[in-house]
Amino acid sequence: MIISYEIMKETAKKAFLNLGLNEEQAEICAEVHTSSSADGVESHGMNRIPRFAEYLKKGWIDPNGKPELIHKKGAVENYDGHMGIGITNAIFASDRAIELAKEHGIGCVSIKNTTHWMRGGTYAWRMAKKGYMGISWINTESCMPLWGSDEQGVGNNPFCIAIPREDEPFVVDVAMSQYAYGKLGVYRLEGKKLPYPGGFDKEGNLTCDPGAIEESRRILPIGYWKGSGMALALDLAATLMSNGKSGSDMDEEWLGSCGGCSQIFIAYDPDIFGERDEIMEKLDRRVIAARNKHPIHPSRPVSCPGDQTRVRRASNMQAGIHVDDSIWRQILELASN
Amino acid sequence: MIISYEIMKETAKKAFLNLGLNEEQAEICAEVHTSSSADGVESHGMNRIPRFAEYLKKGWIDPNGKPELIHKKGAVENYDGHMGIGITNAIFASDRAIELAKEHGIGCVSIKNTTHWMRGGTYAWRMAKKGYMGISWINTESCMPLWGSDEQGVGNNPFCIAIPREDEPFVVDVAMSQYAYGKLGVYRLEGKKLPYPGGFDKEGNLTCDPGAIEESRRILPIGYWKGSGMALALDLAATLMSNGKSGSDMDEEWLGSCGGCSQIFIAYDPDIFGERDEIMEKLDRRVIAARNKHPIHPSRPVSCPGDQTRVRRASNMQAGIHVDDSIWRQILELASN
């Protein structure tokens, strides 16, 4: 089904209001979920709204939970998210990181006991849109085997970094698994093989068969042992910086996906040394050099992270945004209560 | 050839003194290179000393170049490395980051116009040994094709993160390429295939044949498009934060591997909130949970990054450290001038 941005957002907002969110929360959540779908990240856009509703009903998300300042020192602030809405908690934390960066050059905000922030890149992107370099990451419950294990032992903890540029930010949003479970499902339903091995089958062989990986639950870390180590490091770092739950603590007390997680937001002010123009020129030169590299396929010049997203967004804003029929029916029902 | 730590370090130090380094520089460089070899990272240990000598002679490294403070704001300092010795510049910068973290909770030091720091993990590890969480990365000249290109277009820019723990730090040191060129050479000389595809051959097929990748120069980013995007993001971030050269600027003006590069060091103080004991307990619990995950091979329990390095180091400190015969002859010659 194809829906216009305006109608999609208004419907989502109505659903959020019916679920007990206040006007401001509903507006922000509708905007973030709809934008994710507009960018082609449906898994964290419309597709997540029914699950968000379920988590609210189960008490795994508390719409009244607000970030509470626990500690502060210099350029660092530490909050308790009180199991509030992941999106609004993360927006609050990333905006605070910017305020700290304005004052100290760099700003770091950690938040513990928060909930799923939906699309990870949202917050680093937001920081870069405001002119700051943004770095953020999160720990999740275990959904990926550590290297050398056949049992889920670590989250696919995404690492996001966004670089402000004169026009649009350069944004990387990288989960530590080669493919998300959502992606495996998309390939399976289309009857397609993965372009590259995405995990192990039950016999322990690397495979491009998405169904075999869904069955074994043995998704592959990016770079094999490297992504496994990085995922565990990001978990430990998030735990250390927030004094929050680690991924294994979250496994012990299940409160839904990312329920009780720890998140980190670092902002850096590129203007502190008064050399912004010179820096932006260097970044331009760097990006142009990348784009000019010889492409494998002459018709497909080298692209940068975010390029395809922007094309997709522009097209979807004009032609309307795809949403799964059954998901849309559920959202309409939530909106009509 | 097997050499004891003491003799290896003393010989390296003598070589460095003969090359014009002062007592302090020679001591530090000998310690870092020898420790890298002791840890099994020969590529950045003894093997690099002849090339370091060559760079000094060519004027690509200036032993008199010292870090000069260019800018300072709050928790951030920006230095010009004046093409000084990569190791001593990086040690200076990481120690400064710690000082800033003591004051502001987090500290960030960028250094531009510096040279090869040798083994990347050295500095984050050093920060963690001193009780601080350390993050560091660097941009290098292009040595890896960007995703979609068959021409070298980005560095394999390593990202290092070290978490302090009660006993030994947890350290991840991840280059954005699946294998280093040095590793490909090791496999080729041993007549072995790579355990996983490490790049493309000249025909554009993913391959485990190290020689075919050395020939095409098409090494593979970790996670395919993901590592490619991360590598470019780390380059842009290092350039932005240091106002230094980007990887493509370094390609334009060749001053040896990493000649004129930009480096970032971030330190975070886990004691700022007075909750160290509680945090360390959480980290322990997290690491134990990882180690207890079901192993694929019953005889090989899940290990954490750094585990194997520590075992190797302990063994090498006792039994002596391996060095290639021809490399050792070159170092002996440098030491005997």
Side-chain angles (χ1 to χ4, degrees):
Chain A
M1 192 170 287
I2 303 293
I3 308 286
S4 76
Y5 180 90
E6 290 70 24
I7 290 177
M8 187 175 274
K9 189 185 147 190
E10 274 315 300
T11 310
K13 183 172 175 180
K14 190 115 193 298
F16 289 132
L17 287 168
N18 282 342
L19 286 164
L21 273 56
N22 66 29
E23 168 65 29
E24 191 192 347
Q25 292 169 330
E27 172 67 25
I28 291 173
C29 290
E31 201 268 322
V32 170
H33 280 272
T34 309
S35 296
S36 294
S37 273
D39 286 1
V41 191
E42 291 182 57
S43 57
H44 292 88
M46 289 302 114
N47 293 6
R48 278 287 174 132
I49 294 181
R51 198 197 282 183
F52 176 78
E54 179 203 331
Y55 282 15
L56 278 171
K57 280 170 194 158
K58 283 186 168 155
W60 288 347
I61 297 171
D62 176 6
N64 299 314
K66 296 281 181 317
E68 180 194 2
L69 183 66
I70 303 295
H71 296 293
K72 178 175 172 59
K73 177 175 174 177
V76 183
E77 286 181 359
N78 173 232
Y79 289 84
D80 189 324
H82 290 299
M83 300 301 282
I85 300 164
I87 288 176
T88 52
N89 273 355
I91 284 180
F92 171 86
S94 53
D95 287 353
R96 277 303 306 155
I98 287 177
E99 292 305 313
L100 290 167
K102 278 183 193 165
E103 202 179 331
H104 305 280
I106 191 169
C108 174
V109 171
S110 62
I111 182 164
K112 62 182 174 183
N113 302 323
T114 187
T115 62
H116 205 301
W117 67 1
M118 301 301 151
R119 181 186 181 192
T122 303
Y123 313 98
W125 197 312
R126 181 182 172 92
M127 292 192 262
K129 278 289 241 185
K130 294 186 174 192
Y132 293 77
M133 199 186 95
I135 296 180
S136 65
W137 72 91
I138 168 176
N139 60 8
T140 80
E141 70 279 6
S142 296
C143 63
M144 178 169 82
L146 286 155
W147 192 245
S149 168
D150 51 16
E151 177 190 10
Q152 308 203 332
V154 72
N156 61 349
N157 308 331
F159 185 80
C160 311
I161 178 165
I163 319 283
R165 298 188 56 222
E166 286 310 322
D167 46 358
E168 283 285 333
F170 179 102
V171 185
V172 169
D173 172 3
V174 193
M176 291 299 128
S177 60
Q178 188 62 57
Y179 299 101
Y181 279 104
K183 199 67 148 187
L184 298 181
V186 169
Y187 273 90
R188 178 178 39 79
L189 290 171
E190 291 177 353
K192 287 185 187 163
K193 294 279 171 200
L194 302 168
Y196 300 96
F200 297 91
D201 62 20
K202 284 198 150 179
E203 283 69 46
N205 303 306
L206 271 181
T207 179
C208 293
D209 174 357
I213 302 165
E214 288 179 305
E215 204 190 347
S216 71
R217 312 289 289 173
R218 291 179 62 182
I219 56 173
L220 189 68
I222 58 169
Y224 311 96
W225 56 93
K226 291 192 172 192
S228 170
M230 262 296 274
L232 194 48
L234 292 173
D235 187 354
L236 290 165
T239 306
L240 178 150
M241 296 169 86
S242 69
N243 193 8
K245 285 186 180 180
S246 70
S248 58
D249 285 346
M250 290 158 70
D251 294 342
E252 292 297 315
E253 187 191 8
W254 178 251
L255 297 168
S257 177
C258 294
C261 67
S262 306
Q263 295 171 348
I264 307 301
F265 302 86
I266 297 175
Y268 181 93
D269 183 357
D271 294 339
I272 41 179
F273 306 141
E275 296 172 338
R276 188 185 179 95
D277 290 350
E278 195 187 329
I279 290 169
M280 290 300 147
E281 214 177 284
K282 282 182 186 173
L283 301 187
D284 272 353
R285 202 157 65 224
R286 181 65 190 91
V287 169
I288 290 167
R291 291 193 194 285
N292 285 342
K293 286 293 165 184
H294 187 266
I296 296 175
H297 303 288
S299 61
R300 278 189 264 154
V302 175
S303 71
C304 287
D307 284 353
Q308 288 168 29
T309 301
R310 273 188 286 274
V311 171
R312 214 178 290 122
R313 184 191 302 167
S315 150
N316 287 345
M317 292 304 278
Q318 201 156 35
I321 304 167
H322 179 264
V323 56
D324 177 84
D325 289 1
S326 125
I327 293 284
W328 189 241
R329 272 196 305 274
Q330 292 174 66
I331 296 170
L332 284 175
E333 200 175 315
L334 289 167
S336 69
N337 280 349
Chain B
M1 191 169 287
I2 302 293
I3 309 287
S4 77
Y5 179 90
E6 290 71 25
I7 290 178
M8 187 175 274
K9 189 185 146 189
E10 275 315 302
T11 310
K13 184 172 175 179
K14 192 120 193 297
F16 289 131
L17 288 167
N18 283 341
L19 286 163
L21 272 56
N22 67 29
E23 168 66 29
E24 191 192 347
Q25 292 169 330
E27 172 67 23
I28 291 174
C29 289
E31 201 267 321
V32 170
H33 279 271
T34 310
S35 296
S36 294
S37 273
D39 285 2
V41 191
E42 291 181 57
S43 58
H44 292 88
M46 289 302 115
N47 292 6
R48 277 288 174 131
I49 293 181
R51 199 197 281 183
F52 176 78
E54 179 203 331
Y55 282 15
L56 278 171
K57 281 171 194 158
K58 284 185 166 154
W60 288 347
I61 297 172
D62 175 5
N64 298 315
K66 296 282 180 318
E68 179 194 2
L69 183 65
I70 303 293
H71 296 293
K72 178 174 171 62
K73 176 173 174 179
V76 182
E77 286 181 357
N78 173 231
Y79 289 85
D80 188 324
H82 289 300
M83 300 301 281
I85 299 164
I87 287 177
T88 53
N89 273 355
I91 284 181
F92 171 86
S94 53
D95 287 353
R96 277 303 306 155
I98 287 177
E99 291 305 313
L100 291 167
K102 277 183 192 164
E103 202 179 330
H104 305 280
I106 191 169
C108 174
V109 171
S110 61
I111 182 164
K112 62 182 173 182
N113 302 323
T114 187
T115 62
H116 205 301
W117 67 2
M118 302 300 150
R119 181 186 180 192
T122 303
Y123 313 98
W125 197 311
R126 180 181 172 93
M127 292 192 263
K129 277 289 239 186
K130 294 187 173 193
Y132 293 78
M133 199 185 96
I135 296 179
S136 65
W137 72 92
I138 168 176
N139 60 9
T140 79
E141 70 279 5
S142 296
C143 63
M144 179 168 81
L146 286 154
W147 191 245
S149 168
D150 49 18
E151 177 190 11
Q152 308 202 332
V154 72
N156 62 349
N157 309 331
F159 184 80
C160 310
I161 179 164
I163 318 283
R165 298 188 56 221
E166 285 311 320
D167 45 358
E168 284 284 334
F170 179 101
V171 184
V172 169
D173 171 4
V174 194
M176 290 300 129
S177 61
Q178 189 63 56
Y179 299 101
Y181 280 104
K183 199 66 148 185
L184 298 181
V186 170
Y187 273 90
R188 178 178 38 79
L189 290 171
E190 290 177 355
K192 286 185 187 164
K193 294 278 171 200
L194 301 168
Y196 301 96
F200 297 92
D201 62 21
K202 283 197 149 178
E203 283 69 47
N205 303 307
L206 270 180
T207 179
C208 292
D209 175 357
I213 303 165
E214 288 178 305
E215 204 190 346
S216 71
R217 312 289 291 172
R218 291 178 61 182
I219 56 173
L220 189 68
I222 59 169
Y224 312 96
W225 57 92
K226 291 192 171 191
S228 169
M230 262 296 274
L232 193 48
L234 292 173
D235 187 354
L236 290 166
T239 305
L240 179 149
M241 296 169 86
S242 68
N243 192 8
K245 285 185 179 179
S246 69
S248 58
D249 285 347
M250 291 158 69
D251 294 341
E252 292 296 316
E253 187 191 8
W254 177 250
L255 297 167
S257 177
C258 294
C261 68
S262 306
Q263 296 173 348
I264 306 300
F265 302 86
I266 296 175
Y268 181 93
D269 183 357
D271 293 339
I272 41 178
F273 306 140
E275 295 172 339
R276 188 184 179 95
D277 290 350
E278 195 186 329
I279 290 169
M280 290 300 147
E281 214 177 284
K282 283 182 186 173
L283 300 187
D284 273 352
R285 202 158 63 225
R286 180 65 191 92
V287 169
I288 290 167
R291 292 193 195 285
N292 285 342
K293 287 293 164 183
H294 187 266
I296 296 174
H297 303 289
S299 61
R300 278 189 264 155
V302 174
S303 71
C304 287
D307 284 352
Q308 287 168 28
T309 301
R310 273 188 286 275
V311 171
R312 215 178 289 123
R313 183 191 302 167
S315 151
N316 287 345
M317 292 304 278
Q318 201 155 35
I321 304 167
H322 180 265
V323 57
D324 177 84
D325 289 2
S326 125
I327 294 284
W328 189 241
R329 272 197 305 274
Q330 293 175 65
I331 295 170
L332 282 176
E333 199 174 315
L334 289 167
S336 67
N337 280 349

